[in-house]
Every structure is written in C-alpha cells, then in structure tokens.
Amino acid sequence: MRRERLIDARKAVGLNQEQIAEMVGVDRTTIGKWERGDSTPQPNQRGTYAEALGVELQELNAMLTSMPQGDGEMPAWLSTYLGMEQSATRIASYEPRCVYGLLQTPAYVEDIVSHVSYDGVSEAYIARTVETRLIRQKRVRSGEVELSLVQPESALRLRIGTPEVMAEQLSTMVELSRLPNVTLRITRYEAGQYEARRLGAFCIMSHPWGTPQVHIEGYGGGRFITDAEEVQYFQGVYEHAANRIALSPSESRKFITGLAKEWSNRR
C-alpha cells in the first residue's frame, strides 16, 4: 500500500512520529492516523509534511492515495483530490457535464477517457483509469461515504459510447440510487436557469477532521476552496438546487429509469 511509504519515508530521514508532528504543527496521533490511512492531511498541511519527510509534494500526494498511477500521467492536483476523496465521509456534488464519476460503469468510463484528448490516449492509460474509477467506487458501494448528488437532465442525455452503454449506465445509476448512503436528484430542462447551473461543476467534501471544503475543476486543473464564507455560499447553492430545483429522489429514479428505456430502445 502507498500509505506504507509514508512510514518508510519518515524512517529514511531518521525521525519518529512526534518529531514529524512538531515540524508539521499537529499532534503525534495525527501523524499516526495519516500513516494508517485513517485520515488525510489537508492541502495546506501537505507542503510542510512533504518537506519534513524529504520528498516532493507530488510524491507525497501519490503516497496518500491507493489509486494506481502512471509515471507523469497524473497531475499533482488530481492526486490531492483523490486522497481527499478517499478520506471524505460525505460528498455533495453538482455535476452538469456527464454522469458523476463515482457512479460510472467501466464501459462508460472507457469511452469518456478515450476522448479526453484530440490526438488520443494510450490503451494503458484508459485501462488504468477504468481500474482507478472502480477502486474509487468501492467506498460508495460499501457505504463508507455518504453521497448526495444533483445532476441536470442534459448530463444524462449526453451520448457516451453506444446506446447499450448508455442503457447500462443509467440502469446502474438507478441501482446505486437505492443504496441508503446515496441520494440522487435530477434537474429537468424545464427548471431553467439557477445558481448551481451558472457556477458549473463543484463538490463539497466533509471529513472527520476540519471543516467542509469545496473542490472546483476547470481548464488547467482543480483547486480546493477552504474560506468559510465561500464554502457556506457553495453549500447554500447546493441546497437550493437539491431542495428547490431538482426532482425528489423517487421522482429522479423514475425519470432515470425512463431514460434508460429510451436508450435501450435505440439498440
């Protein structure tokens, strides 16, 4: 496991947990939790932690996630995101681009990844990304993370792969929406404009430590927002979309089931 490399790195510089904790400015038990994988350093702690261990920040980010990575193919911001996602206890996300990543089927992922660049990507990269997505999804299926999701109708009508791929993907969404830790809501075209739609994709992550953080992604990568007032604003935007704009969970499930049948009839 990559987390074991944290221990190896600490021992390589000849320091114990208490010494590392003093350098980072946390309690010794916190270092123990990081090394066991019980929690993850916040973004603003990682630079100091990497320096204390004598490693580069990107290398530390790789240690903090169990996701498979290829040399030079995973940017530092994504490594940070994956580490934070794996330790989150609750994720609330607004995703307007396509079916949300933690609900995607392997065939759906494969088609998306094969089109991430206009000049193509390697088969190895596609296979590794599918593997990574399946590993990430385990926490949803096992109930380790509470997932609340709002998606516009357009994200489910965007054709990814064949009609068979779409039918399978939407049926899988219905299946996962029945899990007690998953709440899925859909906004219809008729909803018109609303604040979350104006802002675009974002997710709010909650952890056993600290306060919730917002992650936004765009051209050039992603970043976390930690300012309390900004986070509160995004939380309000999400609740507005979920409770005042979107269909209820049961209505959303019925709507997705209908879409799955539409795609199935196109075979």
Side-chain angles (χ1 to χ4, degrees), residues 155-173:
L156 279 58
R157 290 192 180 275
L158 176 67
R159 176 169 171 166
I160 302 295
T162 64
E164 289 84 358
V165 169
M166 289 299 301
E168 178 193 29
Q169 174 60 78
L170 295 175
S171 295
T172 299
M173 288 186 75

Side-chain angles (χ1 to χ4, degrees), residues 3 24-25 43 57 80 90-91 93 104 130 134 138 151 154 162 170-171 179 181 193 208 245:
R3 291 291 180 126
V24 180
L57 181 57
T80 299
R90 183 177 190 274
I91 298 175
S93 183
Q104 292 173 2
V130 171
L134 291 175
K138 287 181 180 179
Q151 295 219 252
S154 57
T162 64
L170 295 175
S171 295
L179 295 175
N181 58 307
Q193 180 69 306
I245 303 297

